[in-house]
Coordinates of all heavy atoms in Angstrom, one line a residue:
M1 N 107.8 178.8 151.8 CA 108.3 177.5 152.1 C 107.1 176.6 152.6 O 107.1 175.4 152.2 CB 109.3 177.6 153.2 CG 109.9 176.2 153.6 SD 111.1 175.5 152.4 CE 112.6 175.8 153.2
P2 N 106.1 177.1 153.3 CA 105.1 176.2 153.7 C 104.3 175.6 152.6 O 104.0 174.4 152.6 CB 104.1 177.1 154.5 CG 104.9 178.2 155.0 CD 106.0 178.4 153.9
S3 N 104.1 176.3 151.4 CA 103.4 175.7 150.3 C 104.2 174.6 149.6 O 103.7 173.6 149.2 CB 102.9 176.7 149.4 OG 104.1 177.4 148.8
L4 N 105.5 174.8 149.6 CA 106.4 173.8 149.1 C 106.4 172.6 149.9 O 106.3 171.4 149.4 CB 107.9 174.3 149.0 CG 108.9 173.4 148.5 CD1 108.7 172.8 147.1 CD2 110.3 174.0 148.5
L5 N 106.5 172.7 151.2 CA 106.4 171.6 152.1 C 105.1 170.8 152.0 O 105.0 169.7 152.0 CB 106.6 172.0 153.6 CG 108.0 172.2 154.0 CD1 108.2 172.7 155.4 CD2 108.9 170.9 153.9
D6 N 104.0 171.6 151.9 CA 102.6 171.1 151.7 C 102.6 170.2 150.4 O 102.0 169.1 150.5 CB 101.6 172.1 151.7 CG 101.3 172.7 153.0 OD1 101.7 172.2 154.1 OD2 100.8 173.9 153.1
A7 N 103.1 170.7 149.4 CA 103.1 170.1 148.1 C 104.0 168.8 148.2 O 103.6 167.7 147.7 CB 103.7 170.9 147.0
Q8 N 105.1 168.8 148.9 CA 105.9 167.6 149.1 C 105.3 166.6 150.0 O 105.4 165.4 149.7 CB 107.3 168.0 149.5 CG 108.2 168.9 148.6 CD 108.3 168.2 147.3 OE1 108.6 167.0 147.1 NE2 108.1 168.9 146.2
L9 N 104.6 167.0 151.0 CA 103.9 166.2 151.9 C 102.8 165.5 151.1 O 102.6 164.2 151.2 CB 103.2 166.9 153.0 CG 104.3 167.3 154.1 CD1 103.6 168.3 155.1 CD2 104.8 166.1 154.9
A10 N 102.0 166.2 150.3 CA 101.0 165.6 149.4 C 101.6 164.5 148.5 O 101.0 163.5 148.3 CB 100.2 166.7 148.7
K11 N 102.7 164.9 147.8 CA 103.4 164.0 146.9 C 103.8 162.7 147.6 O 103.6 161.6 147.2 CB 104.6 164.6 146.3 CG 104.5 164.8 144.8 CD 105.8 165.0 144.2 CE 106.4 166.4 144.4 NZ 107.5 166.7 143.5
G12 N 104.4 162.8 148.8 CA 104.8 161.7 149.6 C 103.6 160.8 149.9 O 103.8 159.6 150.0
D13 N 102.5 161.4 150.3 CA 101.4 160.7 150.7 C 100.9 159.8 149.4 O 100.5 158.7 149.6 CB 100.2 161.7 151.1 CG 99.0 161.0 151.6 OD1 99.2 160.2 152.5 OD2 97.9 161.2 151.2
M14 N 101.0 160.4 148.2 CA 100.6 159.7 147.0 C 101.5 158.5 146.8 O 101.0 157.5 146.2 CB 100.6 160.6 145.8 CG 99.5 161.6 145.8 SD 99.3 162.6 144.3 CE 100.9 162.7 143.6
Y15 N 102.7 158.6 147.3 CA 103.6 157.4 147.2 C 103.4 156.4 148.3 O 104.1 155.3 148.4 CB 105.1 157.9 147.2 CG 105.6 158.5 145.9 CD1 106.0 159.8 145.9 CD2 105.6 157.8 144.8 CE1 106.5 160.4 144.8 CE2 106.1 158.3 143.6 CZ 106.5 159.7 143.6 OH 107.0 160.2 142.5
G16 N 102.4 156.7 149.2 CA 102.1 155.7 150.3 C 103.1 155.9 151.5 O 103.1 155.0 152.3
L17 N 103.8 157.0 151.6 CA 104.6 157.3 152.8 C 103.9 157.8 153.9 O 102.8 158.5 153.8 CB 105.8 158.2 152.3 CG 106.6 157.8 151.2 CD1 107.6 158.9 150.8 CD2 107.4 156.5 151.6
S18 N 104.3 157.5 155.1 CA 103.7 158.1 156.3 C 104.8 158.2 157.4 O 105.9 157.7 157.3 CB 102.6 157.2 156.8 OG 103.1 155.9 157.2
G19 N 104.4 159.0 158.5 CA 105.3 159.1 159.6 C 106.7 159.7 159.2 O 106.8 160.7 158.5
A20 N 107.8 159.1 159.7 CA 109.1 159.6 159.5 C 109.5 159.5 158.0 O 110.2 160.4 157.6 CB 110.1 158.8 160.3
D21 N 109.0 158.5 157.3 CA 109.3 158.5 155.9 C 108.7 159.6 155.2 O 109.3 160.2 154.3 CB 108.7 157.1 155.3 CG 109.5 155.9 155.8 OD1 110.7 156.1 156.0 OD2 108.9 154.9 155.9
L22 N 107.4 160.0 155.5 CA 106.8 161.1 154.8 C 107.6 162.4 155.2 O 107.8 163.3 154.3 CB 105.4 161.2 155.3 CG 104.5 162.3 154.7 CD1 104.5 162.3 153.2 CD2 103.1 162.3 155.2
L23 N 107.9 162.6 156.4 CA 108.6 163.8 156.8 C 110.0 163.9 156.1 O 110.3 165.0 155.6 CB 108.8 163.9 158.3 CG 109.5 165.0 158.9 CD1 108.8 166.3 158.5 CD2 109.7 164.9 160.4
A24 N 110.7 162.8 156.1 CA 112.0 162.8 155.4 C 111.9 163.2 153.9 O 112.6 164.0 153.3 CB 112.7 161.5 155.5
F25 N 110.8 162.6 153.2 CA 110.5 162.8 151.8 C 110.3 164.3 151.6 O 110.8 164.9 150.7 CB 109.4 162.0 151.4 CG 109.0 162.2 150.0 CD1 109.5 161.4 148.9 CD2 108.0 163.2 149.6 CE1 109.1 161.7 147.6 CE2 107.6 163.4 148.3 CZ 108.2 162.6 147.3
A26 N 109.4 164.8 152.4 CA 109.0 166.3 152.2 C 110.2 167.2 152.4 O 110.4 168.1 151.7 CB 107.9 166.6 153.2
L27 N 111.1 166.9 153.4 CA 112.3 167.7 153.6 C 113.2 167.6 152.4 O 113.8 168.6 152.0 CB 112.9 167.3 154.9 CG 112.2 167.7 156.2 CD1 112.8 167.1 157.4 CD2 112.0 169.2 156.3
H28 N 113.3 166.4 151.9 CA 114.2 166.2 150.7 C 113.7 167.0 149.5 O 114.4 167.7 148.8 CB 114.4 164.7 150.3 CG 115.2 164.0 151.4 ND1 114.9 162.7 151.8 CD2 116.3 164.3 152.1 CE1 115.7 162.3 152.6 NE2 116.6 163.3 152.8
G29 N 112.4 167.0 149.4 CA 111.8 167.8 148.3 C 112.0 169.3 148.4 O 112.1 170.0 147.5
A30 N 112.0 169.7 149.7 CA 112.2 171.1 150.0 C 113.7 171.6 149.9 O 114.0 172.7 149.4 CB 111.7 171.5 151.3
I31 N 114.6 170.7 150.3 CA 116.0 171.0 150.3 C 116.8 170.6 149.1 O 117.6 171.3 148.6 CB 116.6 170.3 151.6 CG1 116.0 170.9 152.9 CG2 118.1 170.5 151.6 CD1 116.3 170.2 154.1
V32 N 116.5 169.4 148.6 CA 117.3 168.9 147.5 C 116.7 169.4 146.1 O 117.5 170.1 145.4 CB 117.2 167.3 147.4 CG1 117.9 166.8 146.2 CG2 117.8 166.8 148.7
S33 N 115.5 169.2 145.9 CA 114.8 169.7 144.7 C 113.3 169.3 144.7 O 113.1 168.2 145.1 CB 115.4 169.0 143.4 OG 114.6 169.3 142.3
P34 N 112.5 170.2 144.3 CA 111.0 169.8 144.3 C 110.8 168.6 143.4 O 109.7 168.0 143.4 CB 110.3 171.0 143.8 CG 111.3 172.1 143.9 CD 112.7 171.6 143.9
Y35 N 111.7 168.3 142.4 CA 111.5 167.2 141.4 C 112.4 166.0 141.8 O 112.5 165.1 140.9 CB 111.8 167.8 140.1 CG 111.2 169.1 139.8 CD1 111.8 170.3 139.8 CD2 109.8 169.1 139.5 CE1 111.1 171.5 139.5 CE2 109.1 170.3 139.2 CZ 109.8 171.5 139.3 OH 109.2 172.7 139.0
F36 N 113.0 166.0 142.9 CA 113.9 164.9 143.3 C 113.2 163.5 143.1 O 113.9 162.5 142.9 CB 114.5 165.1 144.6 CG 113.7 164.5 145.8 CD1 114.1 163.3 146.4 CD2 112.5 165.1 146.2 CE1 113.3 162.8 147.4 CE2 111.7 164.6 147.2 CZ 112.2 163.4 147.8
D37 N 111.9 163.5 143.3 CA 111.3 162.2 143.3 C 111.2 161.6 142.0 O 110.9 160.4 141.8 CB 109.9 162.3 144.0 CG 109.0 163.2 143.2 OD1 109.4 164.4 143.1 OD2 107.9 162.8 142.8
R38 N 111.4 162.4 140.9 CA 111.4 161.9 139.6 C 112.8 161.3 139.1 O 112.9 160.7 138.1 CB 111.0 163.0 138.6 CG 109.6 163.6 138.9 CD 109.3 164.7 137.9 NE 108.0 165.3 138.3 CZ 107.6 166.4 137.8 NH1 108.2 167.0 136.8 NH2 106.4 166.9 138.1
H39 N 113.8 161.5 140.0 CA 115.1 160.9 139.7 C 115.0 159.4 139.7 O 114.4 158.8 140.6 CB 116.1 161.5 140.7 CG 117.6 161.2 140.3 ND1 118.1 160.0 140.6 CD2 118.5 162.0 139.7 CE1 119.3 160.0 140.1 NE2 119.6 161.2 139.6
P40 N 115.7 158.7 138.8 CA 115.6 157.3 138.8 C 116.0 156.6 140.0 O 115.4 155.6 140.4 CB 116.5 156.9 137.6 CG 116.6 158.1 136.7 CD 116.4 159.3 137.6
R41 N 117.1 157.1 140.7 CA 117.5 156.5 141.9 C 116.4 156.6 143.0 O 116.2 155.6 143.8 CB 118.8 157.1 142.4 CG 119.4 156.3 143.6 CD 120.8 156.7 143.7 NE 121.3 155.8 144.8 CZ 122.5 156.0 145.4 NH1 123.3 157.0 144.9 NH2 122.9 155.2 146.4
V42 N 115.8 157.7 143.1 CA 114.6 157.9 144.1 C 113.5 157.1 143.7 O 112.8 156.4 144.5 CB 114.3 159.4 144.2 CG1 113.2 159.5 145.2 CG2 115.6 160.2 144.6
Q43 N 113.2 157.0 142.4 CA 112.1 156.2 141.9 C 112.2 154.8 142.3 O 111.3 154.1 142.6 CB 111.9 156.4 140.4 CG 111.1 157.6 140.0 CD 109.7 157.6 140.4 OE1 108.9 156.7 140.0 NE2 109.3 158.6 141.1
T44 N 113.5 154.2 142.2 CA 113.7 152.9 142.5 C 113.3 152.5 144.0 O 112.8 151.5 144.3 CB 115.3 152.6 142.3 OG1 115.5 152.8 140.9 CG2 115.6 151.1 142.7
V45 N 113.7 153.5 144.8 CA 113.3 153.3 146.3 C 111.8 153.4 146.4 O 111.2 152.6 147.1 CB 114.0 154.4 147.2 CG1 113.5 154.3 148.6 CG2 115.5 154.3 147.1
L46 N 111.1 154.4 145.8 CA 109.7 154.6 146.0 C 108.9 153.5 145.3 O 107.8 153.3 145.8 CB 109.3 156.0 145.4 CG 109.9 157.1 146.1 CD1 109.6 158.5 145.3 CD2 109.4 157.3 147.5
Q47 N 109.3 152.8 144.3 CA 108.5 151.8 143.6 C 109.0 150.4 143.8 O 108.4 149.5 143.2 CB 108.6 152.2 142.1 CG 107.9 153.5 141.8 CD 107.9 153.8 140.3 OE1 108.4 153.1 139.5 NE2 107.3 155.0 140.0
A48 N 109.9 150.2 144.7 CA 110.3 148.9 145.1 C 109.1 148.0 145.6 O 108.4 148.5 146.4 CB 111.4 148.9 146.1
P49 N 108.9 146.8 145.0 CA 107.9 146.0 145.4 C 107.9 145.6 146.9 O 106.8 145.6 147.5 CB 107.9 144.7 144.6 CG 109.1 144.9 143.7 CD 109.8 146.2 144.0
D50 N 109.0 145.3 147.4 CA 109.1 145.0 148.8 C 109.8 146.2 149.6 O 110.8 146.1 150.2 CB 110.0 143.8 149.1 CG 111.3 143.8 148.4 OD1 111.5 144.7 147.5 OD2 112.2 143.0 148.7
K51 N 109.1 147.3 149.4 CA 109.6 148.6 149.9 C 110.1 148.6 151.3 O 109.4 148.3 152.2 CB 108.5 149.6 149.7 CG 109.0 151.1 149.6 CD 107.9 152.1 149.6 CE 106.8 151.9 148.7 NZ 105.9 153.0 148.5
A52 N 111.5 148.9 151.4 CA 112.0 149.1 152.7 C 111.7 150.6 153.1 O 111.3 151.4 152.3 CB 113.6 148.9 152.7
P53 N 111.8 150.9 154.4 CA 111.4 152.3 154.8 C 112.3 153.3 154.0 O 113.5 153.1 154.0 CB 111.7 152.3 156.3 CG 111.6 150.8 156.8 CD 112.1 150.0 155.6
Y54 N 111.6 154.2 153.5 CA 112.2 155.3 152.7 C 113.4 155.9 153.4 O 114.5 156.0 153.0 CB 111.2 156.4 152.2 CG 111.8 157.6 151.6 CD1 112.2 157.6 150.3 CD2 112.2 158.7 152.4 CE1 112.8 158.7 149.7 CE2 112.8 159.8 151.8 CZ 113.1 159.8 150.5 OH 113.7 160.9 149.9
A55 N 113.1 156.5 154.7 CA 114.1 157.2 155.5 C 115.3 156.3 155.7 O 116.5 156.8 155.7 CB 113.5 157.7 156.7
E56 N 115.1 155.1 156.0 CA 116.2 154.1 156.3 C 117.1 153.9 155.1 O 118.3 153.8 155.2 CB 115.6 152.8 156.8 CG 116.6 151.8 157.3 CD 115.9 150.5 157.7 OE1 115.0 150.6 158.5 OE2 116.2 149.4 157.2
T57 N 116.4 153.7 154.0 CA 117.1 153.4 152.7 C 118.0 154.6 152.3 O 119.1 154.5 152.0 CB 116.2 153.1 151.6 OG1 115.4 152.0 152.0 CG2 116.9 152.8 150.3
V58 N 117.4 155.8 152.2 CA 118.1 157.0 151.8 C 119.1 157.5 152.8 O 120.0 158.3 152.4 CB 117.2 158.1 151.3 CG1 116.3 157.6 150.1 CG2 116.4 158.7 152.4
A59 N 119.0 157.1 154.0 CA 120.0 157.5 155.0 C 121.4 157.0 154.7 O 122.4 157.5 155.2 CB 119.6 157.0 156.4
R60 N 121.5 156.0 153.9 CA 122.7 155.4 153.5 C 123.4 156.1 152.3 O 124.6 155.8 152.0 CB 122.5 153.9 153.2 CG 122.1 153.1 154.3 CD 122.0 151.6 153.9 NE 120.8 151.2 154.4 CZ 119.9 150.5 153.7 NH1 120.0 150.1 152.5 NH2 118.7 150.2 154.2
W61 N 122.7 157.0 151.7 CA 123.3 157.8 150.6 C 124.2 158.9 151.1 O 123.9 159.4 152.2 CB 122.1 158.4 149.8 CG 121.2 157.4 149.1 CD1 121.5 156.1 149.1 CD2 120.1 157.7 148.3 NE1 120.4 155.4 148.4 CE2 119.6 156.4 147.9 CE3 119.4 158.8 148.1 CZ2 118.4 156.3 147.1 CZ3 118.2 158.7 147.3 CH2 117.7 157.5 146.8
T62 N 125.2 159.1 150.4 CA 126.2 160.1 150.7 C 125.8 161.5 150.3 O 124.9 161.7 149.5 CB 127.6 159.8 150.1 OG1 127.5 159.9 148.7 CG2 128.0 158.4 150.4
Q63 N 126.6 162.4 150.8 CA 126.4 163.8 150.4 C 126.5 164.0 148.9 O 125.8 164.6 148.2 CB 127.4 164.8 151.1 CG 127.2 166.3 150.7 CD 125.9 166.8 151.2 OE1 125.3 166.4 152.2 NE2 125.4 167.9 150.5
R64 N 127.5 163.2 148.3 CA 127.8 163.3 146.9 C 126.6 162.7 146.2 O 126.2 163.2 145.1 CB 129.0 162.5 146.6 CG 129.4 162.5 145.1 CD 130.7 161.9 144.9 NE 131.7 162.9 145.2 CZ 133.0 162.7 145.2 NH1 133.4 161.6 145.0 NH2 133.8 163.7 145.5
D65 N 125.9 161.6 146.7 CA 124.7 161.1 146.1 C 123.6 162.1 146.0 O 123.0 162.3 144.9 CB 124.2 159.9 146.8 CG 125.1 158.7 146.8 OD1 125.9 158.5 145.8 OD2 125.1 157.9 147.8
W66 N 123.4 162.8 147.1 CA 122.3 163.9 147.1 C 122.7 165.0 146.2 O 121.8 165.6 145.6 CB 122.1 164.4 148.5 CG 121.4 163.4 149.3 CD1 121.9 162.6 150.4 CD2 120.0 162.9 149.2 NE1 120.8 161.8 150.9 CE2 119.7 162.0 150.2 CE3 119.0 163.3 148.3 CZ2 118.4 161.3 150.2 CZ3 117.8 162.8 148.4 CH2 117.5 161.8 149.4
E67 N 123.9 165.4 146.1 CA 124.3 166.5 145.2 C 124.1 166.1 143.8 O 123.6 166.9 143.0 CB 125.8 166.8 145.4 CG 126.1 167.5 146.7 CD 127.6 167.7 147.1 OE1 128.4 167.2 146.3 OE2 127.8 168.3 148.2
A68 N 124.3 164.9 143.4 CA 124.1 164.4 142.1 C 122.6 164.4 141.8 O 122.1 164.8 140.7 CB 124.7 163.0 141.8
I69 N 121.8 164.0 142.7 CA 120.3 163.9 142.6 C 119.8 165.4 142.4 O 119.0 165.6 141.5 CB 119.7 163.2 143.8 CG1 120.0 161.7 143.7 CG2 118.2 163.5 143.7 CD1 119.6 160.9 144.9
A70 N 120.3 166.3 143.2 CA 119.9 167.7 143.1 C 120.3 168.2 141.7 O 119.4 168.9 141.1 CB 120.5 168.5 144.2
R71 N 121.5 168.0 141.3 CA 122.0 168.5 140.0 C 121.2 167.9 138.8 O 120.8 168.6 137.9 CB 123.4 168.2 139.8 CG 124.1 168.8 138.7 CD 125.7 168.5 138.7 NE 126.0 167.1 138.9 CZ 126.5 166.6 140.0 NH1 126.7 167.4 141.1 NH2 126.8 165.3 140.0
E72 N 120.9 166.6 138.9 CA 120.3 165.9 137.8 C 118.8 166.1 137.7 O 118.1 165.9 136.7 CB 120.6 164.4 137.8 CG 122.1 164.2 137.6 CD 122.6 162.8 138.0 OE1 121.7 162.0 138.3 OE2 123.8 162.6 138.0
S73 N 118.2 166.5 138.9 CA 116.7 166.6 139.0 C 116.2 167.7 138.2 O 115.0 167.7 137.8 CB 116.3 166.8 140.5 OG 116.5 165.5 141.1
I74 N 117.0 168.7 137.8 CA 116.5 169.8 137.0 C 115.9 169.3 135.7 O 115.0 169.9 135.2 CB 117.6 170.9 136.8 CG1 117.0 172.1 136.3 CG2 118.7 170.4 135.9 CD1 117.4 173.3 136.9
Q75 N 116.4 168.2 135.2 CA 115.9 167.8 133.9 C 114.5 167.1 134.0 O 113.9 166.7 133.0 CB 116.9 166.8 133.2 CG 117.1 165.5 134.1 CD 118.2 164.7 133.4 OE1 118.2 164.5 132.2 NE2 119.0 164.0 134.3
Y76 N 114.0 166.8 135.2 CA 112.8 166.2 135.4 C 111.6 167.2 135.8 O 110.6 166.8 136.2 CB 112.9 165.1 136.6 CG 113.9 164.1 136.3 CD1 115.1 164.1 137.0 CD2 113.9 163.3 135.3 CE1 116.1 163.2 136.8 CE2 114.9 162.3 134.9 CZ 116.0 162.3 135.7 OH 117.0 161.4 135.4
Q77 N 111.9 168.5 135.5 CA 110.8 169.5 135.7 C 109.6 169.3 135.0 O 109.6 168.9 133.9 CB 111.3 170.9 135.6 CG 112.4 171.3 136.6 CD 112.8 172.7 136.4 OE1 112.0 173.5 136.0 NE2 114.0 173.0 136.7

């Protein structure tokens, strides 16, 4: 698990995340899917020009949203 978290932290850093946003991103990568960041819905958040805080934005997503992202992320390997 540490190497997975390290990889997700590095990925989050490449997206310009830090602090609580970086931690939330890394945990999502470890729990939801290592490829969750390639999902279009997640990409929309990460690439928004006037980017709101990642953790704040995704905190509004439901369990059903996360389940769909996990299920669909397999295609982005």
Side-chain angles (χ1 to χ4, degrees):
M1 182 77 104
S3 62
L4 176 59
L5 281 174
D6 290 341
Q8 294 304 314
L9 287 166
K11 245 198 285 192
D13 187 53
M14 289 189 329
Y15 285 116
L17 300 175
S18 61
D21 290 329
L22 180 58
L23 181 57
F25 177 91
L27 290 174
H28 290 142
I31 295 167
V32 176
S33 167
Y35 310 103
F36 88 105
D37 61 304
R38 298 178 187 174
H39 190 280
R41 187 161 184 191
V42 178
Q43 279 291 305
T44 298
V45 173
L46 294 172
Q47 296 181 359
D50 55 343
K51 201 185 309 190
Y54 170 83
E56 182 181 308
T57 302
V58 301
R60 293 182 230 131
W61 295 355
T62 66
Q63 181 66 29
R64 183 172 278 171
D65 293 330
W66 285 111
E67 288 169 357
I69 290 169
R71 187 176 53 254
E72 295 164 8
S73 289
I74 193 133
Q75 66 185 318
Y76 304 113
Q77 291 186 29

